[in-house]
Amino acid sequence: MTVVNALQIVRWAAWAPGLDAAADWAEWLAAPTPLRGDEVAAPPLAEVPAMVRRRIDPLGRMALQVAYRAQDDLTPEAVQAMPLVFASRWGELDRSVALLQDLARQQPLSPTAFSHSVHNAIGALYSIQRGVRANLSAVAAGAYSLEAGWIEALGLLREGASEVLLVAFDAPLPAAYAASGLDAARMRPHALALRLRLGGSLQLQAEPKTTEPDDGLPPALRALRFFTDGEAELRQGPWRWSRAC
């Protein structure tokens, strides 16, 4: 029996400082540890010309790197026709904070910094580099932005897209927000890309808010662990991930 809202992950890629290959992620997700401080801050992103690459902050490089890797087996035509969903709680907030600080000091604003600070900037940059002609969405839904992106991707698939690329990326808040209490203790800057297709077993359902698991992981990385470790379900916040029988 086909579950109409169930999806399959055709291909995935993830990157964080110190974590690149699938084996690295499996080991770390089983026993998360804080950043040591000596990890490489950003992936190489050799796919993007140097002139463009040097204007991209580390978080944006992570998002673009996993997007390239999740589609690296496709023809240019297939990439250009695939809808994109980029999901992030805060986006590149460091840039926005720096712009606000410049305003407070009555300094002129950098047009490049501003253009990269808007929430859809990284997705737009990827679509330009790849020549994508399909739909591009940028979503933000707090801690559960990956789940919001999944719902957006599901809608695009139900409307006829054969596959959708979902990219979720986030980083700890800038130092100016240190007292907010919003950061997970072991949160690393991270990016996750999922190529999604209808007809799999993975389901996402809204439900009454549940107690958050006490593992220090942001919800997107907890979802990645669920995708890769074979558990039957994951409950977090107002969402339940499960596998259709």
Side-chain angles (χ1 to χ4, degrees), residues 67-91:
Y68 272 99
R69 290 181 180 177
Q71 293 186 313
D72 64 6
D73 61 329
L74 298 176
T75 65
E77 293 75 18
V79 170
Q80 292 162 7
M82 187 179 298
L84 306 172
V85 180
F86 279 72
S88 181
R89 182 177 189 175
W90 295 305

Side-chain angles (χ1 to χ4, degrees), residues 11-13 65-74 165 193-195:
R11 192 178 182 89
W12 69 272
Q65 187 69 80
V66 297
Y68 272 99
R69 290 181 180 177
Q71 293 186 313
D72 64 6
D73 61 329
L74 298 176
L165 180 67
L194 307 171
R195 255 175 57 204

Side-chain angles (χ1 to χ4, degrees), residues 44-213:
L45 194 59
E47 298 89 343
V48 173
M51 184 179 297
V52 177
R53 187 171 61 243
R54 67 169 177 256
R55 298 176 181 174
I56 308 171
D57 280 357
L59 182 60
R61 289 195 186 196
M62 295 178 208
L64 295 182
Q65 187 69 80
V66 297
Y68 272 99
R69 290 181 180 177
Q71 293 186 313
D72 64 6
D73 61 329
L74 298 176
T75 65
E77 293 75 18
V79 170
Q80 292 162 7
M82 187 179 298
L84 306 172
V85 180
F86 279 72
S88 181
R89 182 177 189 175
W90 295 305
E92 293 195 282
L93 191 56
D94 280 318
R95 287 186 183 271
S96 298
V97 170
L99 288 167
L100 290 171
Q101 291 170 337
D102 285 342
L103 280 174
R105 291 190 293 262
Q106 298 185 333
Q107 297 295 316
L109 300 184
S110 161
T112 298
F114 175 77
S115 68
H116 282 73
S117 71
V118 296
H119 205 71
N120 67 340
I122 295 303
L125 183 57
Y126 185 73
S127 71
I128 291 169
Q129 292 301 305
R130 305 303 308 264
V132 176
R133 299 185 298 272
N135 184 85
L136 165 64
S137 302
V139 301
Y144 305 101
S145 293
L146 172 67
E147 284 80 358
W150 185 279
I151 297 299
E152 177 74 10
L154 173 62
L156 291 164
L157 290 165
R158 294 291 302 276
E159 287 182 351
S162 58
E163 289 187 8
V164 172
L165 180 67
L166 168 60
V167 181
F169 59 103
D170 261 308
L173 287 167
Y177 294 91
S180 67
L182 290 173
D183 267 336
R186 290 188 288 272
M187 183 176 181
R188 296 180 179 221
H190 60 273
L192 165 66
L194 307 171
R195 255 175 57 204
L196 301 173
R197 181 186 297 166
L198 284 174
S201 62
L202 295 170
Q203 299 180 87
L204 177 64
Q205 296 171 296
E207 63 172 29
K209 187 172 178 61
T210 59
T211 302
E212 203 73 11

